[in-house]
Amino acid sequence: MKKFRVAQIQYAPVLGNEEGSMENFRELIFSTRHRADLIILPELANAGYNFRDRNHAMQHAQTIEESEFIDWLRRWALMHETNIVTGFLEKEGDKLYNSSVYINKRGKKEVYRKVHLFMHEKKIFDRGDKGFPVFQMGEYKLGMLICFDYLFPEPWRIMALKGADIMAHPSNLVTDNAFKIVPVQAIMNGYYIFTTNRIGSEGDITFAGKSFAVDPKGNQLAIASADLPEVVTTKIDLELAKDKMITPDNHVLNDRFPQDYGDILK
Ligand code: ACM
């Protein structure tokens, strides 16, 4: 069994302060040196969350190409031969996205943009326009969702059908719903899910911490504290995500009847 090591970095990004955000995760990422195949940071890991309005967020947004934060992580990925997923405040022209960037260990960058915007985010961000892609990660496939996306079963399923073995879920959770829903999605789709949450408060919002990992049977593999900066490390066998049998006679994907599910498109 080939072990794959995931490190989830739970910390507090600093609102509108990329350098301060990096300061808060640097020691944590140093502790993963040469010991992680995949590192996952929270949602909006470079910028913080609770922007006053779209203008305020726009002032602190960058393209993926011009971001020092992404460049630093890319150099880290290359130097330590690791894959990285991070939340990122992304600007493209006059559009503003709540994004997740996947940097693979050869330095190639891919992006997912959050589709399901939570509360005040609807006034700040544009809705993601990349659909629900999955990306190659060595022999396996990686999908990404961002925080509140978790509430909607469709993207989880779409990415399972595209062959995802592992889902990275950068988050800024404020309620407990994800702790109930995410393990169920792992069972329903037969893959690993890693929810990396942030800690701390911004204005009247307090984030829930408790970053966690679940296996393809929905078992919780690890969970962080509610309020401390920490690295959650988990060793997994990605081959387990190839086994989609839920009983000897039932396959979680092949036993579906899409011809009976047309109402979902209404
Ligand atoms: C959230 O989607 N950040 C709650």
Side-chain angles (χ1 to χ4, degrees), residues 43-44 49 98 114 116-119 121 146-150 169-175 197 207:
E43 178 181 11
L44 295 171
Y49 182 79
N98 182 338
K114 187 176 186 177
H116 305 94
L117 300 171
F118 183 69
M119 293 183 73
E121 290 175 38
I146 301 173
C147 205
F148 189 58
D149 280 327
Y150 72 78
H169 181 217
S171 293
N172 282 183
L173 295 169
V174 292
T175 72
N197 197 19
F207 301 95

Side-chain angles (χ1 to χ4, degrees), residues 2-5 34-39 70-86 101-110 135-140 142 238:
K2 188 158 164 281
K3 285 287 183 192
F4 185 89
R5 297 156 306 176
H34 304 297
R35 285 203 292 271
D37 299 297
L38 173 63
I39 294 171
I70 295 294
D71 199 48
W72 193 94
L73 290 176
R74 184 172 178 275
R75 279 185 269 122
W76 184 274
L78 289 170
M79 200 179 332
H80 298 281
E81 290 193 57
T82 188
N83 303 285
I84 300 179
V85 170
T86 183
V101 180
Y102 164 44
I103 307 166
N104 81 8
K105 61 183 180 185
R106 308 214 188 297
K108 185 165 190 278
K109 291 171 263 181
E110 308 280 5
F135 302 105
Q136 208 63 41
M137 191 176 60
E139 299 160 50
Y140 299 96
L142 170 84
L238 277 168

